[in-house]
């Protein structure tokens, strides 16, 4: 039997990482494509997979881990379609329109669900039955897995938009979310940090008072994830989380807010094993997309 090849797409807000891989995860070809608009991005995607397939063999399945909001309900007629994304040109674009020509099954999930899956299979989430992966970067989002399967309701979760306590005396910044202003994303994502202080936390030299302010907001999400999902571990990735000292500050703020209420072996004193950075670094997304493609193989 011919080897089954997977087409994998990690669709990010600024770039797509695309790969052709074997089912065991070995990458045979890989490229970056600027996100720009579907009019430029989709033909480049088709060209990449066409050339990679010509060189290595037919594609048996596609796995897509994408920015959103996007329809990830396999039972929906609009499965794989971008919905209310503010990104120009992307609302209404559908992955099936460009990948359908290859005649292979397509699994579409969110970027954070994909990264969670990658970390669960090969990174910092190995061995966890329930795992939450959160990114704090240009935006904030969380994927929650149970036994390697991503959870959703009528749509994917939107953890970035939870309300958080906002002391306007300590932090007069109004927040940048066009819908809620000072939701978690509006106060703690990369654009909020630049909007408030003009530079990233790392560029500012990671001053402890500013790091603690952001950690306090993110800790509201960490505590909510514990209370709602009781994950075995929380992984925090994304550009903002690379700030030196932010993860330790997040552990401290989360532990303080949990206030000893939850007693479980998973919640180690200091939360050093409980709240961690990604094990795969920036490769979590494409690793997850390959894993989604493996799900499509059935
Ligand atoms: Zn919001």
């Amino acid at each position: 039997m011919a080897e089954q090849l997977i087409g994998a797409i990690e669709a990010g807000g600024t770039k797509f990482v695309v790969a052709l891989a074997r089912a065991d995860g070995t990458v045979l070809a890989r490229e970056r494509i600027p996100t720009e608009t579907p009019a430029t991005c989709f033909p480049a995607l088709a060209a990449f997979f066409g050339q990679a397939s010509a060189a290595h063999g037919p594609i048996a399945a596609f796995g897509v881990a994408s920015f959103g909001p996007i329809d990830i309900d396999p039972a929906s007629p609009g499965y794989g379609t971008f919905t209310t994304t503010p990104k120009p040109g992307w609302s209404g674009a559908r992955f099936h329109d460009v990948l359908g020509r290859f005649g292979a099954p397509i699994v579409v999930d969110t970027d954070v669900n994909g990264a969670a899956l990658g970390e669960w299979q090969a990174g910092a989430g190995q061995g966890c039955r329930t795992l939450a992966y959160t990114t704090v970067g240009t935006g904030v989002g969380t994927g929650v897995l149970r036994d390697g399967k991503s959870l959703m309701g009528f749509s994917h979760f939107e953890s970035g938009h939870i309300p958080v306590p906002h002391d306007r005396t300590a932090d007069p910044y109004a927040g940048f979310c066009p819908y809620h202003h000072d939701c978690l994303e509006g106060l703690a994502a990369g654009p909020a940090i630049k909007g408030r202080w003009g530079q990233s936390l790392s560029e500012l030299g990671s001053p402890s008072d500013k790091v603690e302010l952001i950690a306090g907001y993110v800790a509201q999400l960490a505590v909510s994830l514990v209370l709602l999902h009781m994950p075995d571990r929380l992984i925090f990735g994304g550009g903002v989380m690379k700030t030196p000292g932010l993860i330790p500050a997040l552990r401290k703020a989360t532990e303080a807010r949990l206030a000893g209420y939850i007693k479980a072996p998973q919640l180690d004193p200091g939360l050093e094993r409980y709240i961690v950075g990604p094990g795969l670094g920036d490769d979590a997304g494409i690793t997850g997309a390959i894993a989604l493609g493996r799900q499509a193989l059935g």
Side-chain angles (χ1 to χ4, degrees), residues 158 160-163 176-186:
E158 289 282 4
H161 297 271
I162 63 168
F176 81 95
C177 175
Y179 292 91
H180 319 109
H181 310 294
D182 59 350
C183 60
L184 172 61
E185 183 171 299

Side-chain angles (χ1 to χ4, degrees), residues 4-162:
Q4 293 196 300
L5 299 181
I6 292 170
I9 300 172
E10 178 196 5
T14 54
K15 66 170 193 306
F16 279 34
V17 178
V18 294
L20 185 71
R22 294 197 181 109
D24 69 2
T26 309
V27 173
L28 302 169
R30 178 175 170 143
E31 199 172 299
R32 283 173 171 223
I33 296 169
T35 305
E36 294 173 349
T37 68
T40 56
C41 183
F42 277 2
L45 273 186
F48 167 80
F49 286 116
Q51 285 160 16
S53 175
H56 299 283
I59 298 171
F62 284 97
V64 181
S66 177
F67 73 90
I70 185 166
D71 186 339
I72 59 164
D73 179 1
S76 160
Y79 183 46
T81 306
F82 289 95
T83 56
T84 53
T85 180
K87 197 166 267 300
W90 284 94
S91 191
R94 187 173 193 227
F95 280 102
H96 297 64
D97 291 343
V98 58
L99 302 178
R101 73 193 68 186
F102 295 94
I106 305 165
V107 167
V108 181
D109 210 330
T110 63
D111 45 7
V112 281
N113 284 343
L117 188 56
E119 289 290 331
W120 181 75
Q121 290 208 331
Q126 291 177 80
C128 293
R129 289 205 70 192
T130 304
L131 174 70
Y133 176 97
T134 298
T135 183
V136 184
T138 313
V140 177
T142 303
V144 182
L145 302 186
R146 175 69 177 168
D147 292 328
K149 214 172 166 335
S150 60
L151 303 183
M152 67 177 291
F154 62 81
S155 181
H156 52 75
F157 300 154
E158 289 282 4
S159 72
H161 297 271
I162 63 168

Side-chain angles (χ1 to χ4, degrees), residues 124-126 128 130-133 231-235 273-276:
Q126 291 177 80
C128 293
T130 304
L131 174 70
Y133 176 97
D232 295 302
R233 190 166 296 139
L234 306 181
I235 301 175
R273 289 199 315 272
Y274 190 68
I275 293 181
V276 300

